[in-house]
Amino acid sequence: MELVESFAERAARIAVGSCLRTRRGDLVMIDGSPPHRDAMLAAAKEAYRLGARYVWLRYYDELALRVRADLSEDEWLGFEPGSQGELFRAMAGESWTSLQFYGSEDPLAFEGADPGKLARCAKGRHEVLKPFLEKVMAFESPGCILPYATDGSLLLEVYVHDGIGTMVV
């Protein structure tokens, strides 16, 4: 057993325990990119340790977004399946909490991309997330965003969307 807490474990403990204030029976969504996997798993362990009923790790791949923007037919760039909207409306109704790790895997991933195509892709995604995000932004469900370098070396600030404020670690 390791006696020293890893950086990912420390970030997870702070985010899940202090920002989300995870309690028994909570539903927790942990959002991030493939390079955030270790931190996301550490957060899932912490959420279950604190009594979460269910934890969903949702991976978003910005490199796949670039591929879509470059290669998809223009008429389909803003399309998101209806099932995605149904999922996030249900999550809003069930009062899921949300922890998002963000930090670019490749800071140059979008260099040279058509900004209009990227915007159309993003608009569709944001529309399906809207019911859930509105609940978080209205402080009706705890949410926490962690800027987290993909090499796991940097945690600048934890932005708490639960009406309390901002915690810097």
Side-chain angles (χ1 to χ4, degrees), residues 4 16 19 21 23 28 39 43 56 66-67 71 73 76 85 87 108 110 112-113 126-128 130 133 136 138 140 166:
V4 178
V16 175
C19 294
R21 297 185 317 276
R23 302 288 182 259
V28 180
W56 178 34
R66 173 62 192 261
V67 168
L71 300 175
E73 293 185 29
W76 295 333
L87 171 67
L108 302 177
F110 299 113
H126 289 119
E127 284 300 315
V128 299
K130 189 175 180 179
L133 294 177
V136 172
E140 294 173 17
T166 301

Side-chain angles (χ1 to χ4, degrees), residues 45-124:
K45 288 178 186 176
E46 183 67 11
Y48 280 122
R49 189 184 72 72
L50 293 172
R53 180 174 12 154
Y54 187 82
V55 178
W56 178 34
L57 274 62
R58 186 176 88 102
Y59 292 93
Y60 174 74
D61 192 329
E62 67 183 16
L63 299 179
L65 174 63
R66 173 62 192 261
V67 168
R68 181 180 183 194
D70 287 347
L71 300 175
S72 182
E73 293 185 29
D74 284 346
E75 66 184 288
W76 295 333
L77 289 174
F79 172 78
E80 290 289 331
S83 59
Q84 293 295 306
E86 291 172 25
L87 171 67
F88 286 102
R89 279 189 296 279
M91 290 176 71
E94 295 171 346
S95 298
W96 283 65
T97 64
S98 172
L99 171 60
Q100 179 184 5
F101 289 92
Y102 79 93
S104 183
E105 177 178 4
D106 178 1
L108 302 177
F110 299 113
E111 187 172 317
D114 180 327
K117 288 183 172 188
L118 289 170
R120 288 200 309 275
C121 289
K123 183 179 180 189

